[in-house]
């Protein structure tokens, strides 16, 4: 038991004692100054912020409190705390007393404290380990490397005796990550916690030394680093599935980094040791073993998280950089030459050499690049700095769309950014050493990553996407209710100032003198002020690389309304992951509430629901989304996405139309058209047209948060109905509803109601079903137990004549507060099977709206409205006067005496060249065409798969002349031809 404590050099600093020291210590004492994450000017900046601002003093006070325990300890404490035997693992470890008897697995529910470092306690049942009721009787030997580990065996496994086979023991083993046999070891977990506390503490201590120059902080940094330098060479590689590599660690890293081997390397069959014999394979060359999934989940210190070992090694590097020149008052170095050599050679350089073998740019692999850059800067190795810099460019090129949006989900955008966020700060202002000439390419001089460009767009993307409440929109693997951090605006403000200062104030909801984080402490100019209020860059738009549309309604700055159409772009033009099978899915926020929802991220670790189902299969599958399911199947995996066809904005009306690509191979058409219309009370309603052709079954599915509280027209108790296994595996209490011309379902969520009005009766849907779908959205929800939600299914099935099934679904969605909907009625007035033209009439108090969608520019009459065009909207008051009208991609819109006309619905223009945000046209356009063009469709990036077409995307036009088109915000790509969408509208002044 480690309990030793001493009085340290000086007393533990209270904040009252710290501030005078900060104010008096105006300059660093380092010989040449730190070189990595915090340089001399950053330290001076931090001191000045502490002198001026309470937020900065609060941050440093927190660091001081966090260092108090370490400052009370002597060197022997750290020698005993940091284990000599390879640490165990964190990921997947669980309390054996709490394991589910049916699932044979539990959750990560263990707590540990440095004040009692030899035990751990279950958060749920308070069982303390080590525990004689749960002995670690299993022995795992690594004879080559001379290490032995213990693990827990269930009573049933122990009862088998020592002669039991691996297959027999597996029958009773617990399950862990991805339901693999679990190497459960509280002894290993305790070793991990002790090591983890130390590597997390080291950077905090070093920061405090940089700010105060109190040598006691530097002493403990060196004690921790030196202890790790002594034990790290003997730490074995371990995977988070519980496998150990009984092989020299440096050779393990080189083997796993060899592109000719499997991802987990290729070793002799007995080199990778696991209690239950995992990871042994065979091929034509014979048997071999792998370290599970390689670097992605393996390390000597840390097996999971940002870059595995890269995280602690980065802490070691930056901490050492801050204290390496520390001396006592008499000028004696705190660390002698031999200690410094051990730390640099046996820990920092050796660990970085391991990580240099990991070239992957996944969410975890990217963290090796900041480590390389930091070590390169520290040791003045420009080649390593180049590895970091090259990784920075490769990450942006391969993992971010050209509009700056991350290729995966909003949640993983943050994860990826945090994994690489230190890299641009390390490289900011970097120049190659004098006389250095790289083998390939040009020298780097004063690198500036934060200026306009791809990284700038990546930061801005995060403040362009927010859902109401400054939440991340639930798209792909994103957990619901996740707040969007102001960090992105903070980085821009600290590095670029100017209008970004106002953006940060808006994001943080406070003036700059009252807000800051550790990032601002080091990097933000204490004199920076917001010159003016800057709104978040929220507007209705189509994100041209990410292929997501958001319609934000009449007041985007208020950010209380957002309709997201997920066009998707999944492994079509760029590597993607953590996406759902959800092309053309819809989610809807209104009155600040999430209503029509994506179910989110159940688990990345194949967790099961209490009844044994893989919950992620539901939340990521097509059946749980708001779209049309074809043949009761999931959409195809990849390549898959959408082509933008229309996007239009006018006062009171916004619309988007996209068609699916690769979603269902059997479909010749998979197209969705959505229009959001403002109501007289300032709210909105949505018209949704979904056209599908091909396959034998079409099911329009829809669900809303809250509970289904009403159905109009009322019917007798719906009859129970049987659904196919694809549905019945997940949903319960299915009951049929007789379709009507307009059937309204009402959900209530908190203080907001939402009506779904399904239009067209049996002509649109042969069968309508209400079913109880899983209400859980995350693994923790399922364990806790939550009420189901009600999901609607409107279904068509092909007849026996062999003809292709074609469906045209029409719906109106109306959110509102209170008992009365702002929509009095809605009806489908056109659904032409030949042309696909569709139109609805929506009645509100005092007005009637007509929303019309066609697939061509042929002139047709829709009730009282005549349209030649692809989209039109007319709003008429009770006296028959037109109060608003909009025509997009058409030539004529007429209602009685009111008429809108355009000379061209669209214009095809050849492109001579592109530069930045501008298409330069090959031939001049007539001036009158330039005046009515406001949106341009163009080709997206080149496809990854040969033979696939380029996706169709689009941009809002910022400026247009007869020979050029400049778009808003985003760079344009090389295109042979673009399509200009022309639009006209009118709005009554009354």
């Amino acid at each position: 038991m480690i309990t030793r404590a001493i009085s340290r050099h000086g007393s533990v600093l209270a904040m009252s004692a710290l501030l005078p020291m900060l104010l008096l210590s105006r300059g660093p004492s380092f010989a040449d100054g730190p070189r990595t994450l915090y340089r001399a000017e950053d330290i001076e900046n931090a001191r000045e912020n502490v002198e001026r601002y309470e937020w900065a003093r609060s941050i440093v006070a927190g660091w001081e409190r966090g260092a108090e325990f370490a400052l009370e300890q002597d060197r022997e404490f750290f020698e005993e705390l940091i284990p000599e035997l390879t640490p165990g693992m964190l990921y997947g470890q669980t309390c054996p007393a709490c394991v589910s008897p049916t699932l044979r697995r539990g959750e990560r529910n263990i707590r540990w404290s440095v004040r009692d470092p030899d035990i751990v306690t279950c958060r749920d049942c308070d069982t303390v380990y080590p525990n004689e009721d749960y002995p670690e009787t299993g022995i795992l030997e690594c004879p080559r490397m001379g290490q032995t580990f213990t693990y827990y065996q269930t009573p049933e496994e122990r009862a088998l005796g020592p002669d039991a086979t691996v297959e027999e023991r597996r029958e009773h083993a617990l399950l862990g990550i991805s339901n693999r046999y679990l190497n459960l070891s509280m002894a290993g977990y305790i070793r991990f916690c002790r090591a983890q506390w130390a590597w997390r503490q080291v950077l905090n201590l070093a920061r405090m030394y940089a700010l105060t120059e109190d040598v006691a902080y530097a002493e403990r940094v060196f004690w921790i680093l030196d202890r790790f330098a002594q034990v790290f060479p003997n730490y074995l590689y371990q995977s988070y599935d519980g496998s150990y590599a009984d092989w020299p660690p440096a050779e393990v890293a080189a083997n796993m980094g060899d592109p000719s081997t499997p991802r987990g390397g290729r070793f002799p069959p007995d080199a990778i040791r696991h209690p239950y014999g995992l990871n042994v394979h065979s091929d034509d060359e014979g048997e071999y073993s792998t370290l599970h999934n390689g670097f992605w989940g393996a390390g000597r210190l840390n097996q999971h998280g940002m870059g595995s070992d890269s995280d602690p090694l980065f802490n070691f590097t930056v901490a050492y950089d801050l204290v390496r020149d520390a001396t006592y008052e008499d000028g004696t170095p705190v660390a002698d030459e031999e200690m410094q050599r051990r730390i640099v050679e046996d820990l920092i350089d050796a660990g970085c050499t391991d990580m240099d073998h990991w070239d992957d740019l996944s969410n975890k692999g990217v963290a090796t690049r900041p480590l390389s850059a930091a070590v390169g800067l520290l040791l003045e190795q420009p080649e390593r700095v180049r590895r970091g810099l090259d990784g920075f460019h490769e990450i942006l090129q391969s993992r971010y769309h050209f509009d700056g949006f991350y290729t995966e989900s909003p949640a993983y955008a943050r994860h990826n950014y945090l994994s690489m966020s230190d890299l641009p700060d390390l490289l900011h202002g970097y120049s190659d050493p004098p006389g250095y000439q790289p083998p390939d390419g040009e020298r780097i001089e004063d690198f500036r990553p934060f200026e306009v460009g791809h990284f700038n767009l990546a930061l801005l993307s995060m403040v362009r996407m927010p859902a109401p409440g400054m939440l991340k929109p639930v798209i792909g693997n994103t957990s619901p209710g996740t707040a969007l951090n102001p960090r992105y605006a903070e980085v821009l403000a600290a590095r670029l100032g100017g209008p970004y200062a106002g953006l940060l104030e808006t994001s943080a909801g406070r003036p700059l003198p009252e807000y800051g984080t550790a990032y601002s402490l080091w990097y933000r100019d204490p004199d920076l002020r917001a010159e003016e209020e800057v709104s978040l860059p929220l507007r209705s738009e189509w994100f041209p690389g990410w292929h997501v549309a958001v319609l934000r309604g009449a007041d985007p700055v208020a950010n209380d309304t957002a309709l997201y159409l997920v066009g998707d772009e999944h492994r079509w033009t760029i590597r993607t992951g953590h996406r759902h099978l959800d092309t053309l899915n819809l989610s809807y926020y209104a009155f600040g509430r999430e209503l029509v929802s994506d179910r989110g991220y159940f688990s990345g670790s194949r967790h099961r629901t209490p009844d044994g189902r893989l919950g992620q299969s539901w939340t990521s599958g097509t059946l749980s989304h708001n779209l049309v399911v074809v043949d009761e199947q999931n959409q195809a995996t990849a390549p898959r996405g959408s082509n933008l066809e229309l996007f239009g904005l006018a006062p009171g009306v916004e619309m988007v139309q996209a068609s699916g690509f690769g979603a269902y191979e059997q479909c010749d058409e998979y197209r969705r058209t959505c229009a959001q219309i403002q109501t007289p009370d300032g709210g909105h309603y949505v018209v949704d047209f979904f056209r599908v052709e091909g396959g034998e079954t079409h099911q329009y599915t829809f669900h809303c948060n809250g509970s289904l509280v009403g159905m109009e027209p009322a019917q007798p108790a719906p009859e129970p109905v049987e659904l196919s296994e694809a549905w019945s595996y997940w949903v319960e209490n299915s009951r049929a509803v007789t379709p009507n011309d307009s059937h309204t379902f009402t959900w209530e969520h908190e203080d907001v109601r939402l009506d779904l009005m399904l239009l067209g009766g049996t002509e649109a849907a042969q069968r309508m079903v209400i079913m109880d779908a899983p209400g859980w959205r995350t693994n923790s929800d399922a364990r806790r137990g939550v009420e189901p939600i009600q999901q609607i299914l409107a279904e068509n099935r092909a007849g026996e004549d062999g003809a292709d099934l074609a469906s045209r679904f029409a719906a109106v969605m109306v959110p509102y507060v209170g008992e009365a909907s702002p929509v009095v009625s809605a009806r489908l007035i056109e659904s032409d099977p030949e042309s696909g033209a569709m139109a609805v009439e929506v009645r509100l108090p005092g007005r009637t709206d007509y929303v019309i969608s066609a697939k061509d520019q042929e002139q047709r009459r829709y009730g009282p409205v005549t349209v030649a065009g692809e989209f039109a909207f007319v709003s008429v008051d009770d006296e028959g006067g037109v109060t608003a009208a909009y025509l997009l991609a058409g030539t004529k819109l007429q209602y009685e005496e009111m008429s809108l006309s355009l000379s061209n619905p669209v214009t095809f223009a050849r492109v001579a060249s592109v530069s930045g945000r501008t298409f330069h046209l090959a031939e001049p356009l007539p001036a009158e065409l330039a005046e009515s063009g406001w949106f341009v469709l163009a080709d997206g990036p080149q496809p990854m798969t040969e033979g696939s077409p380029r996706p169709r995307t689009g941009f809002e036009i910022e400026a247009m002349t007869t020979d050029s088109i400049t778009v808003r915000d985003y760079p344009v790509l090389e295109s042979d031809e673009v399509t200009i969408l022309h639009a006209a509208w009118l709005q009554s002044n009354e």
Side-chain angles (χ1 to χ4, degrees), residues 349-408:
D349 186 63
C352 187
T353 298
D354 279 3
M355 293 294 98
D356 285 344
H357 290 294
W358 191 6
D359 288 329
D360 181 57
L361 293 178
S362 68
N363 292 316
K364 295 178 177 63
V366 295
T368 67
R369 303 310 175 105
L371 174 64
S372 293
V375 174
L377 290 166
L378 174 70
L379 304 183
E380 297 183 305
Q381 299 169 333
E383 293 82 4
R384 266 190 170 141
V385 179
R386 289 288 180 136
R387 182 176 187 271
L389 181 64
D390 291 345
F392 180 71
H393 292 309
E394 290 171 19
I395 291 163
L396 290 172
Q397 186 67 29
S398 66
R399 304 308 299 271
Y400 286 81
H401 293 297
F402 70 90
D403 57 4
F405 282 81
Y406 188 53
T407 60
E408 302 189 12

Side-chain angles (χ1 to χ4, degrees), residues 629-685:
V629 176
V630 178
D631 292 339
E632 301 179 295
Q633 300 171 354
N634 281 326
Q635 292 178 355
T637 52
R640 189 187 74 249
S642 67
N643 290 300
L644 180 65
E645 297 180 340
L646 295 174
F647 194 86
L649 303 176
V653 58
E654 308 164 313
M655 72 82 57
V656 59
Q657 178 176 295
S659 60
F661 168 80
Y664 286 107
E665 184 180 45
Q666 63 269 47
C667 289
D668 295 324
E669 181 179 33
Y670 194 75
R671 175 178 283 108
R672 192 165 207 166
T673 309
C674 297
Q676 182 168 249
I677 315 296
Q678 187 176 2
T679 58
D681 59 0
H684 301 83
Y685 69 88

Side-chain angles (χ1 to χ4, degrees), residues 170 180 239 241 243 261-272 274 276-294:
R170 285 177 178 177
R180 295 167 67 84
S239 172
D241 77 337
S243 302
T261 69
R263 185 163 68 169
R266 186 182 181 100
F267 303 96
D270 62 344
I272 304 302
H274 189 279
Y276 301 100
L278 301 182
N279 305 313
V280 178
H281 312 279
S282 63
D283 58 16
D284 293 342
E285 299 179 23
E287 278 198 342
Y288 65 95
S289 61
T290 65
L291 191 56
H292 189 31
N293 51 11

Side-chain angles (χ1 to χ4, degrees), residues 199-251:
W199 84 59
R200 288 181 171 175
Q201 189 73 14
V202 71
L203 187 53
N204 186 47
L205 291 163
R207 287 167 173 159
M208 288 303 297
Y209 173 72
L211 293 173
T212 67
E213 295 185 316
D214 181 351
V215 75
Y217 290 110
E219 278 183 324
R220 281 143 187 84
V221 172
F222 277 119
W223 294 346
I224 294 171
L225 292 178
D226 192 40
R227 174 59 176 170
F228 273 116
Q230 294 173 44
V231 299
F232 182 74
N234 295 318
Y235 281 177
L236 305 184
Y237 267 96
Q238 180 192 178
S239 172
Y240 69 15
D241 77 337
S243 302
Y244 287 87
D246 186 20
W247 204 256
E251 295 181 30

Side-chain angles (χ1 to χ4, degrees), residues 474-685:
V474 183
I475 296 174
N477 284 345
T478 302
S479 296
T482 307
L484 190 69
N485 197 293
R487 172 68 180 272
Y488 311 97
E490 185 178 23
V491 171
L492 292 166
R495 291 305 191 180
L496 301 179
Y500 297 115
L503 180 63
L504 175 56
E505 284 194 338
T506 302
S507 298
R510 281 175 280 174
L512 294 192
E514 298 178 11
Y515 175 81
T517 68
Y519 192 91
S520 292
L521 177 77
W522 298 106
Y523 301 126
R524 194 170 85 203
D525 185 341
D527 293 321
L528 181 65
R529 294 291 181 271
E531 297 179 1
E532 58 183 357
E533 184 178 347
V534 177
S535 299
L536 290 174
L538 303 180
R539 58 190 178 89
S540 297
E541 62 177 317
W542 168 265
F543 301 119
W546 196 27
H547 276 233
V548 171
V550 57
L551 305 181
R552 296 193 179 275
D555 187 4
V557 175
N559 193 25
D560 64 357
T561 299
L563 177 76
Y564 292 93
L565 176 65
V566 181
D568 214 347
E569 210 286 57
H570 187 53
R571 300 179 189 173
W572 188 358
T573 67
I574 197 169
R575 174 181 171 179
T576 56
H578 287 286
R579 302 301 294 266
H580 289 177
L581 301 171
D582 64 344
T583 295
L584 300 191
N585 179 53
L586 203 67
S587 58
Y588 192 25
Y589 300 71
F591 300 101
R593 306 288 189 271
E594 182 196 30
L595 299 174
V596 184
S597 63
D598 185 298
R599 301 316 293 163
Y601 193 16
F602 184 85
S603 165
S605 302
R606 295 182 63 80
H607 283 99
R608 293 180 180 270
T609 62
D611 58 7
R613 296 175 294 177
L614 288 170
Q616 183 66 14
S617 296
W618 171 252
T619 59
S620 65
T622 305
L623 276 63
S624 70
H625 289 84
N626 300 292
L627 38 68
V628 172
V629 176
V630 178
D631 292 339
E632 301 179 295
Q633 300 171 354
N634 281 326
Q635 292 178 355
T637 52
R640 189 187 74 249
S642 67
N643 290 300
L644 180 65
E645 297 180 340
L646 295 174
F647 194 86
L649 303 176
V653 58
E654 308 164 313
M655 72 82 57
V656 59
Q657 178 176 295
S659 60
F661 168 80
Y664 286 107
E665 184 180 45
Q666 63 269 47
C667 289
D668 295 324
E669 181 179 33
Y670 194 75
R671 175 178 283 108
R672 192 165 207 166
T673 309
C674 297
Q676 182 168 249
I677 315 296
Q678 187 176 2
T679 58
D681 59 0
H684 301 83
Y685 69 88

Side-chain angles (χ1 to χ4, degrees), residues 73-391:
Q73 310 308 315
D74 63 5
R75 183 168 185 173
E76 191 174 350
F77 169 85
F78 297 102
E79 294 285 335
E80 294 184 23
L81 179 75
I82 300 169
E84 184 171 341
L85 183 64
T86 303
M89 66 172 181
L90 163 71
Y91 205 46
Q93 297 295 291
T94 187
C95 169
C98 292
V99 167
S100 164
T102 55
L103 299 182
R104 293 163 56 200
R105 65 178 294 166
E107 302 304 322
R108 288 175 283 174
N109 53 355
I110 310 297
R111 65 174 180 264
W112 174 91
S113 170
V114 70
R115 297 183 183 276
D116 202 353
D118 295 315
I119 65 168
V120 290
T121 306
C122 176
R123 292 188 181 94
D124 296 330
C125 71
D126 293 325
T127 303
V128 177
Y129 299 92
N131 191 303
E132 62 182 13
D133 292 334
Y134 301 94
E136 295 194 6
T137 53
I139 303 296
L140 180 65
E141 294 184 345
C142 292
R144 288 186 182 87
M145 305 307 297
Q147 296 191 34
T148 300
F149 308 97
T150 61
Y151 63 94
Y152 170 74
Q153 297 173 305
T154 64
E156 294 82 4
E157 183 182 349
R158 293 199 302 271
L160 294 173
D163 297 327
T165 65
V166 169
E167 289 74 16
E168 289 172 333
R169 292 192 296 110
R170 285 177 178 177
E171 291 294 320
H172 305 289
L174 301 180
L175 300 177
I177 185 71
S178 299
N179 296 313
R180 295 167 67 84
Y181 302 111
L182 175 60
N183 178 359
L184 176 57
S185 173
M186 290 302 170
Y189 182 82
I190 289 169
R191 294 196 306 275
F192 173 85
C193 291
R194 289 160 60 154
Q196 183 188 57
W197 180 87
W199 84 59
R200 288 181 171 175
Q201 189 73 14
V202 71
L203 187 53
N204 186 47
L205 291 163
R207 287 167 173 159
M208 288 303 297
Y209 173 72
L211 293 173
T212 67
E213 295 185 316
D214 181 351
V215 75
Y217 290 110
E219 278 183 324
R220 281 143 187 84
V221 172
F222 277 119
W223 294 346
I224 294 171
L225 292 178
D226 192 40
R227 174 59 176 170
F228 273 116
Q230 294 173 44
V231 299
F232 182 74
N234 295 318
Y235 281 177
L236 305 184
Y237 267 96
Q238 180 192 178
S239 172
Y240 69 15
D241 77 337
S243 302
Y244 287 87
D246 186 20
W247 204 256
E251 295 181 30
V252 174
N255 195 314
M256 291 193 298
D258 184 344
S260 68
T261 69
R263 185 163 68 169
R266 186 182 181 100
F267 303 96
D270 62 344
I272 304 302
R273 314 287 289 180
H274 189 279
Y276 301 100
L278 301 182
N279 305 313
V280 178
H281 312 279
S282 63
D283 58 16
D284 293 342
E285 299 179 23
E287 278 198 342
Y288 65 95
S289 61
T290 65
L291 191 56
H292 189 31
N293 51 11
F295 282 118
W296 194 82
R300 298 160 76 175
L301 288 161
N302 187 32
Q303 305 83 34
H304 190 258
M306 294 184 290
S308 297
D309 281 353
S310 297
D311 184 21
L313 288 167
F314 186 84
N315 283 8
F316 297 156
T317 303
V318 176
Y320 174 74
D321 184 39
L322 290 173
V323 303
R324 57 191 166 87
D325 294 322
T327 61
Y328 294 108
E329 290 183 3
D330 63 1
T332 305
V334 175
D336 60 26
E337 289 186 9
E338 179 57 23
M339 183 187 291
Q340 300 241 18
R341 184 206 63 76
R342 280 196 299 271
I343 292 169
V344 170
E345 294 182 9
D346 298 343
L347 179 62
I348 293 174
D349 186 63
C352 187
T353 298
D354 279 3
M355 293 294 98
D356 285 344
H357 290 294
W358 191 6
D359 288 329
D360 181 57
L361 293 178
S362 68
N363 292 316
K364 295 178 177 63
V366 295
T368 67
R369 303 310 175 105
L371 174 64
S372 293
V375 174
L377 290 166
L378 174 70
L379 304 183
E380 297 183 305
Q381 299 169 333
E383 293 82 4
R384 266 190 170 141
V385 179
R386 289 288 180 136
R387 182 176 187 271
L389 181 64
D390 291 345

